[in-house]
């Protein structure tokens, strides 16, 4: 979601801004723009669509030492050039990520003072308000001006600012939206995340809420409450910043394949240290929160923790949890799951549960992200940078951590032996490869042209199907619905006929006969069935039950969900590819959702 880049330094800002914007593309956007100083004037160039469209309009021969850039994911106002950033009012030009909640009130005040507006955005109002404070301040003291703005603005914002009369300074301020400052040699970058400049600098600063940054080519000042503060300098970990697509046509496919080698990495990191992971059985209540794929990982976590830990676990969607009545206290553990570590809804839940003195544990991929910094304890999922919007390896990394937390308890409750557990996890990479290399051609031909696909399963398989259904929706734009197979007869079966299709997962052994009965009810109505089930059942499941089948290797229940999701990722990928979709950057979606 909206990406910000800013550059001040000895080199030409124009290619730096474009390169930075391209690195932020994965966040999701629908228009892009830059503003830069050229011969003491500010030039603004914007374009709807991809960054390539913006690039075509830029004359890279022009030299500039200071500029800002933006990828916009529309919130207020349609996807038009007029609404895209940068916005300019009076002497001020800005790019913004977040939502200014009181922009309507501020707009009225500013209109009374003579300001007029060209766009439908909250950002233009923020820009006008900064200009208003700027005009009021005789010395143009930017630290005071921006402090006044922050005291007036309600909502979330990371803002980068250039000022017509100050061609040698770049300004930033932030609250509840991420912003980082990269320190190079005679050049300073600002961006929504470090991937935008990770190969250009060795140190960076994470701007905290209500802080202002005043940057020149080789100096930075961080100001909080009117006072200068010495920020913590962090070192870039280049190992985690590789976003090379290698030989793969899409990042998503690369990331699906990577899952097998990642398991080996996680095995070295966690498998030999299971007992060092937190013992979560000491809490009276466990809540798990997340959004999208992270929520689904939390649901799998619930089944595993309940099974192996004998503890009740409840899972919540963060955007709901943040407003619902809570019955939690210091005996509650809230487990927060997030790939990006920046999801606004999830972040807001942490602030809320801390007011109840509940304990927090993060299962987070992005190190030093806002969520990672907000929770009491964090377990990093070590999936590496995930570029494709549709999450794959980050999801399996979250399942891996949940399985570890669960079997840590299972070692005591279920008499699991370490040798047995280790053997299972060591087999997993090879099993993943086997599943990836199965033949999905017939299945893709059967499915790709449907407008609706049902995803069915029971118990933990149902949760896996929720994730499979989300993958399909995200990248192929086919409508799909996941449903517990046993629930079909209470309504949805009325939709089933010769024109419908269902993918059914049956890997929870004691429930397979039940799911097969549900399949037969669908077959009787002409529905096409793709069955995903265990490879030890090849002789016992009648051929009449399915039109296509994928046999998944049977493994221990605590790792089976990791294996089970692989065919669903591939099915979604293959269908989206056959339909010619933009797989890595699906329309309307953002990788990092920093607004509510
Ligand atoms: C967005 C992404 C999803 C992701 C969700 C939660 O919607 O497109 O892929 O699952 O946010 O993101 P998080 O970074 O908190 O895991």
């Amino acid at each position: 979601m909206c990406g910000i880049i800013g550059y001040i330094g000895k080199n030409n800002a124009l290619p730096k801004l474009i390169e930075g914007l391209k690195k932020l593309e994965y966040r999701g956007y629908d228009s892009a723009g830059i503003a830069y100083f050229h011969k003491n004037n500010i030039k603004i160039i914007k374009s709807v669509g991809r960054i390539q469209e913006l690039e075509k309009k830029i004359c890279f021969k022009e030299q500039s030492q200071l500029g800002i850039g933006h990828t916009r994911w529309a919130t207020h106002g349609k996807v038009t050039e007029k609404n895209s950033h940068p916005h300019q009012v009076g002497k001020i030009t800005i790019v913004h990520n977040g939502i200014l909640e009181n922009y309507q009130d501020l707009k009225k005040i500013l209109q009374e003072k003579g300001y007029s507006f060209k766009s439908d955005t909250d950002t233009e109002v923020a820009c006008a308000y900064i200009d208003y404070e700027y005009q009021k301040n005789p010395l143009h003291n930017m630290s005071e001006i921006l402090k006044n703005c922050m005291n007036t603005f309600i909502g979330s914002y990371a803002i980068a600012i250039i000022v017509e009369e100050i061609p040698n300074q770049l300004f930033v301020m932030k609250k509840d939206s991420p912003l980082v400052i990269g320190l190079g040699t005679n050049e300073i970058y600002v961006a929504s995340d470090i991937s935008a400049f990770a190969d250009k600098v060795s140190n960076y600063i994470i701007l905290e809420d209500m802080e202002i940054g005043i940057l020149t080519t080789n100096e930075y000042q961080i100001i909080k409450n009117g006072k200068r503060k010495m920020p913590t300098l962090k070192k870039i970990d280049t190992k985690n910043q590789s976003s090379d697509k290698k030989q793969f046509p899409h990042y998503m496919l690369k990331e699906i394949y990577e899952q097998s080698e990642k398991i080996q990495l996680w095995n070295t990191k966690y498998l030999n240290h299971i007992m060092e992971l937190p013992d979560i059985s000491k809490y009276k209540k466990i809540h798990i929160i997340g959004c999208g794929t992270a929520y689904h990982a939390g649901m799998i976590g619930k089944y595993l923790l309940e099974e192996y830990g004998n503890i009740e676990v409840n899972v919540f969607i963060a955007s709901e949890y943040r407003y619902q009545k809570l019955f939690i206290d210091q005996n509650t553990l809230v487990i927060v799951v997030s790939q990006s570590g920046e999801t606004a809804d999830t972040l807001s839940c942490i602030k809320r549960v801390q007011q109840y003195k509940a304990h927090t544990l993060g299962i987070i991929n992005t190190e030093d992200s806002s969520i990672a910094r907000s929770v009491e304890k964090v377990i990093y999922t070590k999936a590496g940078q995930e570029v494709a919007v549709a999450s794959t390896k980050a999801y399996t990394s979250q399942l891996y951590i949940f399985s570890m937390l669960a079997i840590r308890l299972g070692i005591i409750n279920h008499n699991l032996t370490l040798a047995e557990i280790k053997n299972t996890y060591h087999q997993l990479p090879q099993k993943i490869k086997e599943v990836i290399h199965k033949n999905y051609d017939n299945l893709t031909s059967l499915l790709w042209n449907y407008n609706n696909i049902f995803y069915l399963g029971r118990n933990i398989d149902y949760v896996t199907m929720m994730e499979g259904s989300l993958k399909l929706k995200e990248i192929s734009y086919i409508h799909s619905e996941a449903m517990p197979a046993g629930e079909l007869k209470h309504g949805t079966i009325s939709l089933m006929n010769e024109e419908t299709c269902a993918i059914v997962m049956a890997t929870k052994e004691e429930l397979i006969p039940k799911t097969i009965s549900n399949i037969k009810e669908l077959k009787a109505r002409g529905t096409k069935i793709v069955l995903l089930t265990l490879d030890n059942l090849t002789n016992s499941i009648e051929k009449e039950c399915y039109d296509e089948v994928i046999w998944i290797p049977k493994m221990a229940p605590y790792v089976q969900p990791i294996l089970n999701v692989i065919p669903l990722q591939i099915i979604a990928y293959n269908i989206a590819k056959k339909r010619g979709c933009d797989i890595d950057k699906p329309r309307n979606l953002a990788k990092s959702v920093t607004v509510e």
Side-chain angles (χ1 to χ4, degrees), residues 291-294 337-341 343 389 391 474 590-591 593:
C291 301
T293 290
V337 189
S338 176
Q339 185 287 125
S340 64
T343 306
V389 165
S391 183
E474 284 178 315
K591 181 93 189 140
V593 180

Side-chain angles (χ1 to χ4, degrees), residues 152-351:
T152 308
F153 291 172
I154 298 175
S156 57
Y157 47 84
I159 301 181
I161 306 146
I162 52 177
V163 184
E164 198 183 288
E165 292 166 333
I166 316 179
N168 54 357
Q169 287 184 342
L170 169 61
F171 304 93
V172 283
M173 61 179 178
K174 90 130 215 158
K175 179 183 162 274
D176 292 338
S177 289
L179 202 124
V180 284
I181 300 172
L183 307 172
T185 313
N186 292 324
E187 58 180 9
I188 294 186
Y189 293 79
V190 301
S192 300
D193 66 59
I194 56 172
S195 66
F197 54 62
D199 53 339
K200 305 275 186 297
V201 307
S202 42
N203 293 309
Y204 67 100
I205 298 166
I206 300 170
L207 202 65
E208 302 287 347
D209 281 350
M210 304 306 278
E211 286 183 353
I212 293 164
I214 300 182
L215 315 168
T216 64
T217 297
N218 42 29
E219 272 176 21
Y220 58 87
Q221 284 183 51
I222 307 298
I223 296 159
K224 189 162 198 170
N225 296 326
K227 289 199 191 99
R228 189 155 175 196
K229 103 169 212 197
M230 284 319 288
T232 314
L233 293 196
K234 306 224 164 210
K235 279 229 163 308
I236 299 266
D237 176 2
T238 39
K239 283 202 299 294
N240 255 340
Q241 297 304 324
S242 149
S243 60
D244 179 6
K245 219 187 311 177
K246 301 203 174 130
Q247 77 278 21
F248 292 95
H250 298 99
Y251 278 106
M252 183 176 176
L253 192 62
K254 175 193 168 225
E255 287 161 2
I256 290 172
Y257 272 71
E258 255 177 71
Q259 292 173 110
S260 140
E261 72 203 49
K262 287 288 172 191
I263 300 277
Q264 290 169 14
L265 171 82
W266 304 330
N267 281 349
T268 35
K269 178 124 186 75
Y270 296 111
L271 190 56
N272 295 331
H273 308 277
I274 297 179
M275 297 317 275
E276 292 160 33
L277 288 167
D279 173 9
I280 61 173
S281 63
K282 62 183 181 204
Y283 298 97
K284 291 217 168 94
K285 221 177 235 191
I286 296 183
H287 285 182
I288 303 178
I289 54 172
C291 301
T293 290
Y295 167 74
H296 295 155
M299 288 288 290
I300 297 279
K302 168 189 164 72
Y303 279 92
L304 296 179
L305 292 171
E306 290 184 344
E307 178 65 33
Y308 292 95
N310 284 334
I311 31 176
E312 190 190 344
V313 178
N314 286 300
V315 193
F316 303 88
I317 290 175
S319 56
E320 291 295 314
Y321 192 81
R322 67 185 290 182
Y323 297 115
Q324 77 190 49
K325 196 166 167 115
L326 296 180
F327 300 91
I328 58 173
D329 57 22
Q330 68 278 12
N331 297 313
T332 306
L333 175 69
V334 178
I335 303 179
V336 185
V337 189
S338 176
Q339 185 287 125
S340 64
E342 298 295 346
T343 306
D345 285 318
T346 314
L347 186 58
S348 77
C349 291
I350 300 169
K351 292 186 180 155

Side-chain angles (χ1 to χ4, degrees), residues 1 73 75 97-99 156 177 322 344-345 592-596:
M1 198 162 268
W73 188 87
T75 57
N97 172 17
I99 291 180
S156 57
S177 289
R322 67 185 290 182
D345 285 318
S592 174
V593 180
T594 48
V595 297
E596 196 175 339

Side-chain angles (χ1 to χ4, degrees), residues 334-337 360-364 371 375-380:
V334 178
I335 303 179
V336 185
V337 189
T360 51
L361 167 68
I363 299 182
I364 313 291
I371 296 178
V375 288
E376 263 165 69
K377 278 192 191 149
V378 57
I379 303 176
Y380 283 118

Side-chain angles (χ1 to χ4, degrees), residues 67 82 114 123 216 228 236 278 343 355 369 385 398 412 445 494:
K82 171 184 88 164
T123 303
T216 64
R228 189 155 175 196
I236 299 266
T343 306
Q355 286 161 6
S369 53
Q385 193 191 5
Q398 291 157 354
I412 299 150
S445 306
S494 68

